[in-house]
């Protein structure tokens, strides 16, 4: 079985616009034509540029979509919150926020966004990152936005932050003094025989792949997603029109 979804992705206009560019590609897949710039303008940015997947999810929810995050970020979510009877995530996040926000600015920012995501009707789950999780969405013709480690995906040096230049490039490669870099891509296909996932990448050309669409081993993709925890990524975001989600649930 081999499935390729017709996802069209533009080159990201700056180093920090990968998330907005991926979300724009998913909107376009569903027939909703928006510009990347309009999405960037609507989404809160982190101090060093870029955004969090949960902020992308909030944007989708506010624009009439359903949004579900599969998280692997145990810095924010405890695995026991998702076992048997799921805990009240809003209550757990608020209690954790009170205890830890003074010590972790990124946790403070992420928690605030996750609370808003839940209030808007978003769903959060933690499941093993297995083939069936990705396969079930691609088979249902639903592309998936993934937050992962660009450092691992591209096998390139870590980067030292630097003010963006006129081309929007803000990182300087530095294998010793640099930090890991996060990234967003869209998962738009699945090849069962080759055990690969097709990636639609807004960073093209990039250090490893000359094309915007390429096939990548699923096991290595899973590693890149899980290593995204370093930059508060490590997640999958599923954005669908609400009427489609309702029909899938009924089926």
């Amino acid at each position: 079985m081999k499935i390729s979804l017709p996802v069209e992705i533009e080159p990201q206009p700056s180093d920090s616009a990968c998330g907005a560019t991926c979300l724009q590609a998913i909107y376009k897949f569903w027939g909703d034509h928006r510009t990347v710039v309009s999405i960037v303008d609507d989404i809160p940015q982190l101090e060093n540029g870029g955004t969090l997947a949960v902020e992308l999810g909030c944007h989708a929810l506010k624009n009439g979509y359903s949004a579900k995050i599969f998280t692997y970020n145990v810095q924010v979510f405890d695995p026991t919150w998702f076992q048997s009877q799921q805990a009240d995530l809003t209550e757990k996040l608020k209690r954790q926020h009170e205890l830890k926000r003074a010590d972790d600015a990124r946790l403070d920012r992420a928690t605030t966004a996750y609370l808003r995501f839940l209030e808007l009707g978003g769903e959060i789950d933690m499941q093993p990152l297995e083939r069936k999780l990705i396969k079930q969405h691609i088979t249902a013709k639903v592309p998936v936005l993934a937050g992962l480690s660009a450092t691992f995906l591209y096998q390139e040096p870590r980067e030292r932050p630097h003010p963006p230049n006129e081309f929007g490039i803000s990182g300087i490669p530095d294998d010793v003094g640099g930090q890991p870099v996060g990234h967003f891509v869209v998962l738009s296909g699945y090849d069962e025989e080759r055990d690969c996932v097709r990636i639609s990448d807004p960073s093209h050309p990039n250090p490893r792949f000359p094309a915007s669409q390429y096939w990548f081993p699923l096991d290595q993709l899973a590693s890149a997603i899980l290593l995204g925890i370093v930059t508060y990524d490590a997640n999958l975001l599923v954005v669908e029109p609400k009427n489609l989600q309702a029909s899938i649930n009924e089926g």
Side-chain angles (χ1 to χ4, degrees), residues 6-228:
V7 171
E8 299 177 14
I9 195 159
E10 299 179 7
Q12 61 191 67
S14 69
D15 273 8
S16 61
C18 55
T21 307
C22 287
L23 187 58
Q24 188 263 0
I26 288 178
Y27 284 157
K28 187 176 182 180
F29 175 84
W30 296 122
D32 183 353
H33 296 270
R34 302 168 187 257
T35 65
V36 174
V37 172
S38 69
I39 297 173
V40 170
D41 290 343
D42 286 344
I43 295 178
Q45 301 290 300
L46 298 171
E47 289 184 6
N48 293 329
T51 190
L52 299 172
V54 64
E55 297 284 14
L56 302 175
C58 287
H59 188 277
L61 291 166
K62 288 187 288 187
N63 283 278
Y65 290 83
S66 68
K68 183 171 184 176
I69 290 176
F70 294 92
T71 182
Y72 303 96
N73 188 351
V74 292
Q75 297 180 100
V76 180
F77 297 96
D78 193 277
T80 63
W81 296 355
F82 301 92
Q83 294 173 5
S84 58
Q85 294 184 339
Q86 183 165 310
D88 184 335
L89 295 181
T90 296
E91 178 189 0
K92 292 287 190 181
L93 287 170
K94 286 181 176 178
R95 289 174 56 194
Q96 177 176 252
H97 196 216
E98 292 173 359
L99 289 171
K100 298 181 179 180
R101 63 182 171 184
D103 302 321
D104 191 334
R106 183 63 70 92
L107 177 64
D108 180 23
R109 174 71 180 272
T111 301
T112 300
Y114 276 114
L115 289 171
R116 185 167 65 253
F117 179 80
L118 290 169
E119 184 178 356
L120 289 168
E123 297 181 65
I124 304 172
D125 199 2
M126 182 181 286
Q127 296 184 17
L129 186 53
E130 298 175 341
R131 285 161 180 77
K132 63 180 180 180
L133 179 61
I134 295 174
K135 179 181 176 181
Q136 73 184 42
H137 289 95
I138 302 300
T139 302
K141 296 182 170 56
V142 178
V144 179
L145 196 155
L148 43 69
S149 169
T151 304
F152 187 85
L153 177 70
Y154 300 141
Q155 294 292 293
E156 63 176 350
R158 292 169 294 181
E159 294 183 4
R160 180 160 35 90
H162 188 272
N165 62 22
E166 60 182 307
F167 302 106
I169 298 173
S170 58
I172 298 176
D174 187 338
D175 66 314
V176 176
Q179 299 294 328
V181 177
H183 189 42
F184 289 106
V185 300
V186 177
L187 311 184
S188 59
Y190 179 69
D191 187 334
E192 190 168 41
E193 183 176 345
R194 295 169 58 200
D195 199 27
C196 289
V197 175
R198 192 179 77 158
I199 292 178
S200 297
D201 195 333
S203 177
H204 62 86
N206 59 60
R208 191 173 179 185
F209 306 100
S212 63
Q213 313 267 9
Y214 51 87
W215 293 91
F216 195 74
L218 194 149
D219 286 343
Q220 293 182 40
L221 171 67
S223 296
I225 292 172
L226 295 176
L227 285 170

